[in-house]
Amino acid sequence: MSQQFRSVVRGVGKYVPENEVTNVELSKTIDTSDAWISERSGIRARRIAPRGMTTSFLAVEASKKALDDAGVSAKEIDLVIAATLSPDYFFPGIGSLLQHKLGMNPVGAFDIRQQCSGFVHGLAMADAFIRSGQARKILFCCAEIQTTIMDMTTRGRNMAVLFGDGAASIVLEGIPIASDAERPRADNTVRGVIDNITGGDGGGAENLVMRAPGTSSPDFINAADIEEGRRWPHMDGQTVFKNAIMRMTEVAETLLTRNGLKPADVSLMVPHQANLRISEMVRDKLGLPPEKVFNNIHKYGNTTAATVPLCLAEAVEEGRLKQGDLLLTVAFGAGFTWGANLVRW
Ligand code: UT7
């Protein structure tokens, strides 16, 4: 049998722009209110990157911290995975920029476009690369600057008030497995990724979509796309809301059940941060107490791919996620896409 590996998270790092904009400040330029935003979503503030700051800049800063935390040099990384829906360029992706800016060897570097499911899908992919022996040290970065792709006026208020900018990275290491007892499982204490589920239903694509630029426009992007608002994201909030609760609950239950676990066995659940009401409804359906769920949406809003690793970085800082804990991450986003990961931290 060929050598097998387990994927261990060695380090985490986050970076958010300094500029914090509260709901009250936002309501000076958008016809909204602190009450509307906080009651419906739990959001109180978000970070907004200064004009000209790029997504790869945030990605580099978060990744430097993750590498430091892991005690791993950029030259040791043999694969880069980046998750973003707001890259510096339409192409190439930020993975390539990150590889170059961090002075890495000429290793593979790719972007995934899984939107709010970016972390849960990307972790499943990183784990697959490590298990198969194709990579030993992976830098996985989730980064977004969304405030430049949103319509930050009253016309776009149903989305503009929910999203924010930020980045977080993790470093994963493949550890050789000498025997079956060294494989991470729900019923032992071996560190590493235990199991992942990725799901999707493209039938939901039109409910959360940014149509231009893209080949759905005859010119990829033209003046009419801009004038008629197709260059702004569109969201049917209530449809997304209902699907998010249903899919996140379902995928978490499936992942736990197939590993012989009950929600109570989990040390910490980190749900995607789209709306505090979504997180709380998923938590209630799973029957988890508030102290077993980590949320930071009140500070950052929805940073899309970056929400889950931003929570992980802060949960570690706050001592709420410790080595040996059983971590459940779960997310839902545009596509529709969803997924979950079970990790012995
Ligand atoms: O990350 C994955 C993607 N995103 C999500 O998971 C988000 C899922 N959806 C949601 O979280 C919620 O649907 C929202 C927070 C987006 C909206 O909450 P809602 O209770 O579904 O509100 P609504 O869209 O039904 O809008 C209610 C009212 C409307 O006015 P009328 O038609 O009742 O007169 C909107 O025009 O609120 C109005 N509205 C606002 N008012 C003040 C919409 N946006 C705003 C705003 N400020 N920012």
Side-chain angles (χ1 to χ4, degrees):
M1 197 171 68
S2 61
Q3 177 64 60
Q4 297 194 5
F5 298 88
R6 61 189 161 102
S7 314
V8 173
V9 177
R10 281 280 177 239
V12 288
K14 65 162 190 183
Y15 181 82
V16 290
E18 280 175 20
N19 179 31
E20 185 187 65
V21 177
T22 63
N23 294 346
V24 172
E25 284 163 337
L26 202 62
S27 55
K28 290 179 187 156
T29 53
I30 298 178
D31 179 14
T32 187
S33 65
D34 179 38
W36 193 96
I37 303 169
S38 55
E39 281 164 20
R40 277 192 163 71
S41 70
I43 298 166
R44 299 193 175 276
R46 72 286 296 136
R47 301 300 176 98
I48 297 191
R51 285 183 79 77
M53 185 178 274
T54 59
T55 306
S56 69
F57 175 85
L58 302 191
V60 165
E61 295 306 309
S63 298
K64 281 184 194 160
K65 290 184 184 161
L67 288 165
D68 271 0
D69 188 45
V72 167
S73 80
K75 295 270 186 225
E76 292 173 66
I77 296 294
D78 55 10
L79 184 72
V80 179
I81 304 178
T84 186
L85 59 61
S86 50
D88 298 22
Y89 306 127
F90 192 83
F91 72 84
I94 63 163
S96 300
L97 305 180
L98 198 52
Q99 177 268 333
H100 176 67
K101 289 183 179 182
L102 286 171
M104 294 179 183
N105 290 325
V107 297
F110 59 83
D111 282 30
I112 60 168
R113 302 185 52 180
Q114 300 310 101
Q115 303 68 246
C116 296
S117 302
F119 181 83
V120 293
H121 283 212
L123 182 57
M125 292 173 83
D127 183 40
F129 268 92
I130 284 177
R131 281 177 197 248
S132 68
Q134 291 185 76
R136 290 293 295 274
K137 284 193 179 131
I138 298 180
L139 174 65
F140 172 32
C141 177
C142 299
E144 306 283 5
I145 290 188
Q146 308 182 101
T147 51
T148 55
I149 68 167
M150 299 277 156
D151 180 355
M152 298 297 286
T153 68
T154 296
R155 191 179 47 183
R157 68 181 181 172
N158 73 318
M159 294 192 76
V161 302
L162 302 176
F163 290 82
D165 304 332
S169 298
I170 62 172
V171 174
L172 287 138
E173 184 174 359
I175 308 292
I177 292 175
S179 70
D180 208 40
E182 292 181 14
R183 193 182 304 284
R185 279 197 317 265
D187 61 358
N188 66 22
T189 54
V190 179
R191 294 187 69 200
V193 177
I194 297 170
D195 198 6
N196 311 285
I197 297 180
T198 57
D201 174 9
E206 298 298 323
N207 294 297
L208 185 46
V209 61
M210 183 165 141
R211 298 190 173 91
T215 52
S216 70
S217 170
D219 302 306
F220 201 54
I221 186 158
N222 59 29
D225 293 322
I226 293 171
E227 279 155 26
E228 292 160 24
R230 287 186 292 277
R231 63 84 81 222
W232 305 121
H234 154 83
M235 178 170 77
D236 172 352
Q238 293 189 2
T239 303
V240 175
F241 190 94
K242 286 181 207 139
N243 278 273
I245 293 164
M246 177 182 77
R247 294 299 188 183
M248 285 167 74
T249 308
E250 188 180 82
V251 73
E253 281 172 342
T254 307
L255 187 62
L256 292 174
T257 305
R258 83 179 189 188
N259 285 280
L261 295 169
K262 296 202 165 25
D265 299 321
V266 167
S267 315
L268 191 71
M269 177 170 85
V270 175
H272 167 54
Q273 305 287 292
N275 187 321
L276 190 61
R277 288 191 294 144
I278 296 178
S279 299
E280 288 179 346
M281 285 186 192
V282 173
R283 183 194 78 201
D284 286 350
K285 283 177 184 285
L286 293 174
L288 283 168
E291 62 273 17
K292 283 200 173 186
V293 182
F294 194 91
N295 293 301
N296 60 13
I297 190 168
H298 56 289
K299 294 196 276 186
Y300 305 125
N302 182 349
T303 56
T304 298
T307 69
V308 174
L310 265 177
C311 284
L312 295 178
E314 296 196 340
V316 170
E317 277 167 23
E318 294 172 22
R320 287 185 60 191
L321 179 59
K322 299 176 289 300
Q323 205 166 304
D325 281 352
L326 190 61
L327 169 73
L328 173 68
T329 56
V330 59
F332 177 88
F336 291 142
T337 57
W338 60 87
N341 320 98
L342 191 61
V343 180
R344 180 73 62 189
W345 191 257

